[in-house]
Amino acid sequence: MRYRTLLIDFDGTLFDTRNAIRKTLEALAGRRGAAPFAAHLIDQVIDQGLSLVDMLGALLGPGDVLGLPAWVADYRAIYNGGLGVAQSAPYPGVEAVVQQLHEAGKELFIVSNKGEVSILATLEQYRLGPCFRGVVAAVGDRAPKPDPASFFERVRPRMRHDDNARVLMIGDTEIDLGYARNLGVASCWAAYGYGLASRCEVLAPDFVIHSATDLLRLDDYRATKMRPGASDNLVNR
């Protein structure tokens, strides 16, 4: 693989956390004495790849802006209390893919709008932590993506090279692809994740994968644009 540094999203790319988010929001509404959030609204905010603050802000609406920090704190307490790890699972093949990429000498960074505590707990549960050179996650109310500053402040200093042509961003939503565009690096859309095709395809990702194991095939792929009905899962745009 010509890419040495891989920036990898977490939710919807490495781990399926949709059920963890749903269950946490269900418990959160109960704790706060509020009506349950509508399932279709939950799916909408998940599919957009929003940070926790933006997700809860969208679900609550403008009427509870002042109370938002308490909602955020309660959400994190519930999610990080064990429910998040228990209700999350790696996508098929992820554990083997991460191990192989690490053993091949790739620099792996998680860049996620999720909180760091929940990411680290999940990585520890699946013994994947040592494979990653760093975890760039939300800090307080500040989400790292799509703001390029997080890359230059928290990733670039830890890289073993300074060539953006060897950096690949892998993620499932338009926020991930927008982050790659803001950095001026190649992008890979994980189409099996949460992002909506209508929002991701217009950003013209360099690669499209339909399973985590497709990442291992980037070295061997000699691309043409995908033809209608093509059987190959991996597409180089």
Side-chain angles (χ1 to χ4, degrees):
M1 188 187 297
R2 64 181 179 272
Y3 301 105
R4 181 175 179 184
T5 301
L6 307 184
L7 313 178
I8 312 176
D9 177 51
F10 190 81
D11 290 347
T13 302
L14 290 176
F15 279 78
D16 185 355
T17 58
R18 189 183 292 271
N19 201 48
I21 296 169
R22 286 172 173 165
K23 293 286 188 182
T24 302
L25 287 171
E26 179 183 335
L28 176 64
R31 176 179 290 194
R32 304 290 302 176
F37 298 108
H40 74 281
L41 295 179
I42 293 175
D43 285 339
Q44 284 179 13
V45 294
I46 292 174
D47 293 344
Q48 293 176 56
L50 300 177
S51 67
L52 174 58
V53 173
D54 289 340
M55 179 182 76
L56 287 175
L59 289 172
L60 292 170
D64 200 6
V65 173
L66 295 179
L68 184 58
W71 284 83
V72 170
D74 281 352
Y75 180 100
R76 286 179 173 148
I78 295 168
Y79 195 102
N80 296 336
L83 189 152
V85 172
Q87 294 292 330
S88 299
Y91 283 101
V94 158
E95 293 163 281
V97 167
V98 168
Q99 292 283 356
Q100 289 181 57
L101 291 173
H102 173 64
E103 291 169 3
K106 307 302 179 186
E107 291 184 328
L108 307 182
F109 291 86
I110 288 177
V111 182
S112 171
N113 287 347
K114 198 178 191 70
E116 183 178 76
V117 171
S118 57
I119 294 174
L120 293 178
T122 306
L123 293 179
E124 181 179 1
Q125 174 72 17
Y126 289 90
R127 300 179 182 177
L128 292 175
C131 294
F132 291 93
R133 188 158 177 79
V135 172
V136 178
V139 176
D141 294 345
R142 184 183 176 190
K145 298 177 296 187
D147 186 347
S150 61
F151 173 79
F152 295 105
E153 294 171 1
R154 301 164 65 188
V155 176
R156 192 65 171 268
R158 303 191 66 181
M159 287 169 46
R160 296 190 178 97
H161 66 92
D162 58 3
D163 184 1
N164 273 13
R166 302 190 70 186
V167 178
L168 176 67
M169 175 68 211
I170 304 154
D172 66 307
T173 71
E174 70 261 32
I175 286 181
D176 301 306
L177 302 180
Y179 185 64
R181 179 172 288 189
N182 290 342
L183 294 177
V185 304
S187 61
C188 177
W189 176 39
Y192 57 85
Y194 304 151
L196 300 176
S198 60
R199 297 186 178 187
C200 293
E201 290 176 345
V202 297
L203 293 173
D206 297 284
F207 298 93
V208 179
I209 58 173
H210 294 273
S211 73
T213 55
D214 286 341
L215 282 173
L216 299 177
R217 300 171 54 219
L218 286 175
D219 270 342
D220 301 327
Y221 193 75
R222 298 297 177 263
T224 56
K225 290 188 177 181
M226 183 171 62
R227 303 179 305 278
S231 59
D232 208 337
N233 282 341
L234 180 63
V235 182
N236 179 231
R237 297 289 184 178

